[in-house]
Amino acid sequence: MVLVVILVLLVLGTVIFHFASPWWFTPLASNWGSIDTTINITFWITGLVFVAVNLFMAYAIFKFKHKKGQKSHYEPENKKLEIWLTGITALGIAIMLAPGLFVWASFVKAPSDAQQVEVVGKQWHWMYRFPGEDGELGRTDPRFVSEHNPFGLDPQDPAGQDDILVFSNILHLPVGQPHKFWLRSQDVLHNFAVPHFRAKMDLVPGTVTRMWLEPTRTGTFDVVCMQLCGTAHHAMRGKVVVQEQEDFDQWLASHPTFADTQSRAYRGDQDIGRALYATCASCHGQQGEGNQGLNAPRVAGLDQWYLERQLAYYKDRVRGYNDGDTYGQQMAAMMAVLPDRQAIRNVSAYMAAMPETQVTPTITGNTARGERLYRNFCSDCHGSDGSGNYHTNAPRISGQQDWYLERQVTYFRDGIRGLHPQDSHGNQMVMLVQGLRDEQAIRDVVAYINTLD
Ligand code: CUA
């Protein structure tokens, strides 16, 4: 009898939970209402079967419970019952699956007026590419992938020259315009998913997958990776900003074409950079060696892409905006001496070419523990030798001043650095350093980094 009551309560509880649950679809932001319909059909059919089977089980337990002297009899075949059960099951499965086939067929077949956009995924971030005026995406090949050509575009293909490159996890799309997505992975299996759009698709190494959608309302929506793709899978996030066409056009125009990125100016001019660096030298030193007394870290030995990104962050107050980051705020104020992106490029080119300087360690700790923590949380992106990796957006940390590293890790942990919505790589650091639970853990890791180089 207890079992009967439990089964009935289970059914009742499940049904009530289904209707009263706060966890339901996020409000739809694309044309894919039909995906919701197919999921709802599945819920209804599996729900009805769940209720019917469990209530029947409760009924059977109640009705046929053990009585003295009563014997069950064996009936292995019942043609009529089998035909009914097979028929109803087949019908239920057909109703569940058939609508999905129609929705899937249209999901991968974009309308003819769809614009194109490419999504490139790699451990652990996203990049996007739009065709330029020719409306055509240029050819790509993994052989061409490098720091100066992260998308791997074929330099000989004229169609690729005007392709617009977005080196950011944040994608913008115009509202009401269908878009055909081409999806590529540069390493392992990823999955580009925007829950509000009800659209997701695997990125499969070695092939290009596709889907399409039309954003139906403006807003900012999360991009998540939905295939377990390594240690920082949970940090492989992004955003889609859906906006009016003219705002989108403005955003798109602010990005370089492939040809722009291959120009000499884009690489920066060290000679112009040297003159600009004169102001920086008063804190960071003539040789870029840093100055602990002035809280200015060493800049010599850092990669140009990292310097450029951080200076641009300071300029746009994506870094150095938090009241807890006094030194960052000082730095952001100093950005007045670098009027634009070209100035940032030039001075970064100059700093990146500075010969490395030696630093004196000031922090000691348990390096064995530090090594364990480093292997768990840092080495997949920054490299086992701490030399950094352009492709994971991880700067070089070996040879850096330890007091600076300690302060930055603490800032990330406390959300003083890296929480700005435009700092997607900083966001990742905030998530990853949560594994360094106390001050000592941070000191141990930094002490271990001192031993690298
Ligand atoms: Cu990429 Cu998970």
Side-chain angles (χ1 to χ4, degrees):
M1 198 60 202
V2 178
L3 202 55
V4 175
V5 174
I6 291 176
L7 280 172
V8 173
L9 284 180
L10 181 78
V11 169
L12 267 178
T14 308
V15 172
I16 291 171
F17 181 79
H18 176 77
F19 287 104
S21 163
W23 299 296
W24 195 238
F25 300 134
T26 47
L28 185 65
S30 84
N31 58 313
W32 289 118
S34 50
I35 300 246
D36 289 0
T37 309
T38 55
I39 295 174
N40 277 321
I41 292 173
T42 305
F43 269 141
W44 275 106
I45 291 178
T46 53
L48 284 173
V49 171
F50 174 80
V51 170
V53 166
N54 279 285
L55 289 184
F56 174 75
M57 200 148 59
Y59 165 78
I61 292 170
F62 177 75
K63 173 86 179 168
F64 304 109
K65 67 172 179 252
H66 174 71
K67 282 196 201 103
K68 252 213 162 111
Q70 185 173 299
K71 262 181 98 176
S72 54
H73 71 104
Y74 180 56
E75 195 184 326
E77 299 287 343
N78 185 334
K79 273 246 159 69
K80 210 170 123 193
L81 188 64
E82 274 169 26
I83 288 171
W84 270 104
L85 284 179
T86 311
I88 290 172
T89 310
L91 186 70
I93 289 177
I95 296 174
M96 258 195 316
L97 297 189
L101 293 178
F102 290 99
V103 175
W104 179 256
S106 59
F107 189 68
V108 290
K109 192 174 185 315
S112 53
D113 62 334
Q115 301 289 318
Q116 301 190 74
V117 56
E118 181 191 58
V119 176
V120 179
K122 58 180 179 174
Q123 288 174 324
W124 286 273
H125 67 113
W126 307 99
M127 304 186 293
Y128 309 99
R129 176 164 66 117
F130 287 87
E133 273 168 21
D134 61 359
E136 215 183 309
L137 288 166
R139 250 196 327 269
T140 61
D141 193 301
R143 278 182 302 138
F144 298 121
V145 173
S146 75
E147 194 178 314
H148 298 296
N149 184 0
F151 285 79
L153 273 134
D154 181 347
Q156 303 303 324
D157 182 12
Q161 298 300 319
D162 63 349
D163 286 7
I164 299 165
L165 308 181
V166 181
F167 300 102
S168 159
N169 285 356
I170 303 168
L171 171 69
H172 288 221
L173 289 176
V175 67
Q177 168 66 55
H179 271 81
K180 181 175 191 172
F181 283 66
W182 299 99
L183 304 108
R184 269 194 303 140
S185 167
Q186 286 189 351
D187 38 42
V188 299
L189 194 61
H190 301 280
N191 183 296
F192 179 80
V194 184
H196 284 83
F197 288 166
R198 308 294 191 273
K200 64 199 284 259
M201 182 58 76
D202 273 356
L203 284 69
V204 185
T207 188
V208 180
T209 50
R210 63 185 197 276
M211 65 173 187
W212 78 275
L213 62 89
E214 178 185 326
T216 49
R217 63 186 171 93
T218 56
T220 301
F221 310 106
D222 287 326
V223 174
V224 289
C225 176
M226 283 211 192
Q227 290 285 4
L228 185 57
C229 56
T231 46
H233 154 72
H234 66 288
M236 188 167 170
R237 314 264 182 101
K239 296 238 184 279
V240 180
V241 178
V242 177
Q243 54 193 174
E244 298 299 336
Q245 182 74 46
E246 51 203 86
D247 297 330
F248 168 78
D249 291 341
Q250 218 175 7
W251 172 82
L252 194 62
S254 72
H255 289 82
T257 63
F258 176 58
D260 289 340
T261 66
Q262 302 306 297
S263 68
R264 278 190 66 141
Y266 198 83
R267 304 267 168 101
D269 184 317
Q270 289 182 30
D271 292 330
I272 306 176
R274 179 182 297 119
L276 289 166
Y277 184 77
T279 319
C280 319
S282 50
C283 293
H284 292 276
Q286 285 300 335
Q287 275 78 49
E289 70 274 20
N291 184 333
Q292 185 176 4
L294 296 171
N295 295 292
R298 187 183 87 150
V299 289
L302 289 174
D303 287 306
Q304 184 176 345
W305 56 267
Y306 178 71
L307 291 163
E308 250 182 71
R309 179 186 297 153
Q310 295 308 313
L311 289 175
Y313 279 176
Y314 279 123
K315 184 95 188 150
D316 300 338
R317 299 282 165 143
V318 171
R319 187 175 170 189
Y321 65 94
N322 189 300
D323 284 339
D325 184 5
T326 330
Y327 312 116
Q329 286 181 327
Q330 284 172 7
M331 182 62 201
M334 288 308 293
M335 286 305 294
V337 301
L338 300 173
D340 53 27
R341 285 299 141 105
Q342 196 54 50
I344 288 177
R345 258 175 223 137
N346 295 339
V347 80
S348 303
Y350 175 69
M351 287 191 281
M354 286 173 163
E356 266 177 59
T357 55
Q358 286 301 312
V359 299
T360 323
T362 63
I363 290 173
T364 50
N366 181 342
T367 51
R369 180 169 177 242
E371 180 175 5
R372 266 199 314 279
L373 291 166
Y374 185 85
R375 290 237 170 102
N376 279 341
F377 298 107
C378 319
S379 65
D380 283 342
C381 289
H382 292 277
S384 52
D385 58 355
S387 60
N389 184 349
Y390 168 79
H391 295 284
T392 51
N393 297 294
R396 177 169 176 191
I397 48 178
S398 64
Q400 183 52 285
Q401 283 150 324
D402 49 13
W403 56 268
Y404 174 75
L405 293 177
E406 183 191 25
R407 180 184 294 157
Q408 296 309 310
V409 173
T410 312
Y411 279 0
F412 279 126
R413 188 196 59 186
D414 299 342
I416 292 170
R417 178 180 170 189
L419 276 190
H420 191 286
Q422 269 157 10
D423 186 2
S424 39
H425 310 304
N427 291 178
Q428 289 185 323
M429 273 300 286
V430 173
M431 284 184 240
L432 288 161
V433 299
Q434 299 307 322
L436 305 175
R437 296 200 180 281
D438 49 47
E439 310 300 324
Q440 196 52 51
I442 295 176
R443 293 178 72 82
D444 290 344
V445 167
V446 172
Y448 175 70
I449 294 170
N450 275 339
T451 69
L452 302 172
D453 212 7

